[in-house]
């Protein structure tokens, strides 16, 4: 069964720190990977999408990398702010999914302390 | 910016009742999905829909569930004879037929079965 794992499950950092969230997946045959942000009780906000042919994507203070062969992705957040506090979800589109559906990790709950 | 919308935002129903969750995908998108997230658990794929038929479904999507595109804009998820364990957040997503396969998620409907 294809799975997506995220570590750590929770992370607390002081404001201004740079941090890395990790995502691993069991099958390297993917077509893309998306990082989402979820605030408590809310929907999913897409942050970055990396295609399988790409190594990284950047948006503002966020940088996502992809190492398909080792089944890993990281989300780097620079100069963290209290407003970054949320749960960050990694979702992988495996090639075996004919409908390109996403398989989600359980998320990393980030708290940025002022 | 176009977005996926979902109604209602919160639905409370009694066990055994039928509910219909509604979604309006982004207008030029042709592929539609339903996912669910039970409180404290991962987001899980339920079903995908293309060209007026189900393209793929998970083992969760049994005879209790059905999907429909009743007109050119709405996409619905019907849950018959609801059970306590159907309580969850239900997310609709849509994407273009080709390209990046990036999925855009709605804000979700929180279903509470009492």
């Amino acid at each position: 069964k294809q799975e997506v794992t995220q570590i750590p499950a929770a992370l607390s950092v002081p404001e201004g720190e740079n941090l890395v969230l990790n995502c691993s997946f069991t099958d390297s045959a993917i077509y893309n990977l998306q990082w989402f942000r979820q605030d408590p009780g809310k929907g999913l906000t897409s942050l970055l999408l990396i295609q399988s042919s790409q190594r990284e994507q950047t948006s503002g203070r966020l940088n996502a990398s992809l190492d398909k062969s080792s089944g890993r992705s990281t989300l780097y957040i620079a100069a963290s702010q209290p407003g970054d506090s949320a749960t960050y979800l990694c979702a992988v589109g495996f090639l075996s999914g004919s409908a390109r559906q996403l398989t989600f990790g359980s998320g990393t709950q980030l708290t940025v302390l002022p | 910016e176009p977005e996926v919308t979902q109604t209602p935002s919160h639905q409370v129903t009694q066990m055994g009742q039928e509910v219909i969750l509604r979604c309006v995908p982004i207008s030029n998108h042709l592929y539609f999905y339903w996912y669910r997230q039970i409180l404290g658990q991962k987001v899980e794929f339920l079903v995908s829909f293309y060209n007026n038929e189900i393209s793929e479904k998970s083992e969760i999507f049994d005879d209790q569930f059905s999907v429909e595109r009743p007109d050119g804009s709405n996409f619905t998820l019907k849950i018959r004879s609801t059970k306590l364990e159907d309580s969850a957040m239900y997310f609709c997503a849509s994407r273009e037929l080709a390209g990046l396969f990036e999925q855009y998620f709605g804000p979700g409907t929180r279903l509470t079965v009492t």
Side-chain angles (χ1 to χ4, degrees), chain B residues 37-95:
Chain B
Q37 185 179 33
I38 296 171
L39 187 63
Q41 298 187 22
K42 292 184 180 184
V43 176
E44 304 170 287
F45 166 73
L46 291 178
V47 66
S48 60
F49 191 86
Y50 167 67
N51 200 25
N52 278 324
E53 61 182 25
I54 291 173
S55 56
E56 193 155 344
K57 60 182 180 179
S58 71
E59 58 192 22
I60 303 169
F61 193 87
D62 59 19
D63 292 343
Q64 186 193 4
F65 297 90
S66 62
V67 289
E68 190 179 30
R69 188 155 164 83
D71 54 43
S73 59
N74 290 284
F75 178 51
T76 63
L77 174 68
K78 181 187 291 185
I79 309 175
R80 288 178 283 273
S81 189
T82 49
K83 300 175 279 194
L84 294 176
E85 53 265 39
D86 294 327
S87 295
M89 184 78 96
Y90 288 82
F91 294 107
C92 173
S94 69
R95 66 167 174 87

Side-chain angles (χ1 to χ4, degrees), chain A:
Chain A
K1 183 180 176 182
Q2 293 158 328
E3 292 190 353
V4 178
T5 303
Q6 292 185 247
I7 53 171
L11 181 63
S12 183
V13 300
E15 182 177 4
E17 269 204 9
N18 303 324
L19 58 102
V20 174
L21 308 181
N22 297 290
C23 172
S24 61
F25 43 94
T26 54
D27 183 353
S28 62
I30 71 171
Y31 62 89
N32 68 15
L33 183 148
Q34 280 185 255
W35 282 93
F36 293 89
R37 169 185 172 138
Q38 184 175 33
D39 292 285
K42 301 296 185 182
L44 307 176
T45 302
S46 182
L47 298 174
L48 289 164
L49 177 145
I50 309 180
Q51 297 180 76
S52 62
S53 58
Q54 297 177 314
R55 298 282 293 182
E56 64 179 290
Q57 276 285 359
T58 298
S59 175
R61 294 183 293 110
L62 305 179
N63 176 275
S65 69
L66 174 64
D67 184 343
K68 198 173 58 170
S69 61
S70 67
R72 294 175 190 272
S73 176
T74 61
L75 179 67
Y76 174 83
I77 303 177
S80 57
Q81 303 169 357
D84 295 330
S85 298
T87 296
Y88 291 81
L89 301 176
C90 171
V92 177
F94 292 105
L95 282 174
S96 60
S98 63
R100 306 289 190 249
Q101 67 269 31
L102 295 172
T103 300
F104 282 79
S106 51
T108 294
Q109 185 174 6
L110 173 65
T111 302
V112 181
L113 303 169

